[in-house]
Amino acid sequence: MVSNQFEHDLKESVRSIPDYPKPGIIFRDITTLLGNPRAFRRAVDELVQPWAGSKIDKVAGIEARGFIIGGAVAHQVSAGFVPIRKKGKLPHKRVSIAYSLEYGLDEMEMHEDAVSNGDRVVLVDDLIATGGTAEGAVKLIRQMGAQVLAACFIIDLPDLGGAEKLRKLDVPVRTLISFEGH
Ligand code: AMP
């Protein structure tokens, strides 16, 4: 658990934009958190705190905000960084998986040599909503024989059930703050 004061400060550092990108959605903009030195550092430190003493081989970040947070986390725990990208962006041999979006399907990819059999991987993104994106990333990592040690997100939207979905896949989930609704 993170302290109430930290949770309050972190929530204050996130900018909420109603009706973006479409009516009814409140966009949780983390650029204000990233621009706040204290909030950014604390968020990175707290995200992986439960696994601080564990061996972590790789941190996998989901495009695009997961790259910023995941890169900082990888540095913090002295692990390698693995980008999980939208289809068609990675130049070398790839593995890919279809994942569900609110409307329809998309594909994400990872280099096939980015993780190895038995690697201990922590997955990072800024926010978990329905969990469709993170579920796809978990399957991609597991497909290569690596273990997903944990999935870490700064923000949880619990009403959308994503964290629960990952826990059902036996993935320990760490989130720092949550917002009601979409
Ligand atoms: P999901 O697959 O539904 O869990 O959606 C997670 C992905 O969509 C993450 O990469 C988030 O950055 C983005 N996302 C979903 N909902 C929001 C929101 N309300 N505000 C900001 N980003 C969001």
Side-chain angles (χ1 to χ4, degrees):
M1 279 310 265
V2 295
S3 77
N4 287 344
Q5 184 62 47
F6 169 60
E7 202 178 321
H8 174 264
D9 292 350
L10 203 60
K11 267 185 118 157
E12 290 281 295
S13 76
V14 174
R15 177 162 51 200
S16 295
I17 302 176
D19 298 321
Y20 182 88
K22 56 185 179 194
I25 302 286
I26 305 177
F27 190 82
R28 306 299 176 177
D29 173 22
I30 62 152
T31 62
T32 40
L33 181 156
L34 298 172
N36 174 332
R38 271 177 60 88
F40 187 22
R41 170 170 283 280
R42 264 312 284 284
V44 169
D45 287 347
E46 290 288 346
L47 265 187
V48 287
Q49 197 272 331
W51 297 276
S54 319
K55 178 177 173 288
I56 300 171
D57 298 301
K58 299 279 166 62
V59 173
I62 301 174
E63 185 170 0
R65 280 160 275 161
F67 291 177
I68 303 166
I69 302 155
V73 165
H75 175 82
Q76 178 76 353
V77 300
S78 300
F81 179 77
V82 173
I84 295 181
R85 301 208 62 177
K86 288 163 190 144
K87 189 179 165 65
K89 303 274 189 177
L90 289 168
H92 190 58
K93 286 185 187 155
R94 299 158 298 266
V95 284
S96 66
I97 194 158
Y99 66 102
S100 55
L101 292 170
E102 202 174 344
Y103 303 105
L105 284 177
D106 207 343
E107 263 183 76
M108 68 175 83
E109 298 183 327
M110 182 175 77
H111 276 148
E112 65 171 19
D113 58 1
V115 299
S116 309
N117 198 16
D119 269 357
R120 292 158 62 86
V121 180
V122 168
L123 179 67
V124 172
D125 202 0
D126 65 328
L127 178 148
I128 182 155
T130 65
T133 312
E135 182 185 22
V138 165
K139 288 183 176 163
L140 210 49
I141 293 163
R142 285 181 170 170
Q143 203 173 300
M144 303 313 292
Q147 179 195 345
V148 182
L149 206 58
C152 303
F153 309 86
I154 295 178
I155 301 169
D156 184 19
L157 304 183
D159 296 346
L160 297 182
E164 254 335 286
K165 185 185 275 182
L166 288 192
R167 290 188 179 110
K168 284 197 183 121
L169 293 173
D170 287 327
V171 178
V173 179
R174 168 93 164 149
T175 62
L176 301 181
I177 52 176
S178 59
F179 291 99
E180 280 176 18
H182 287 235

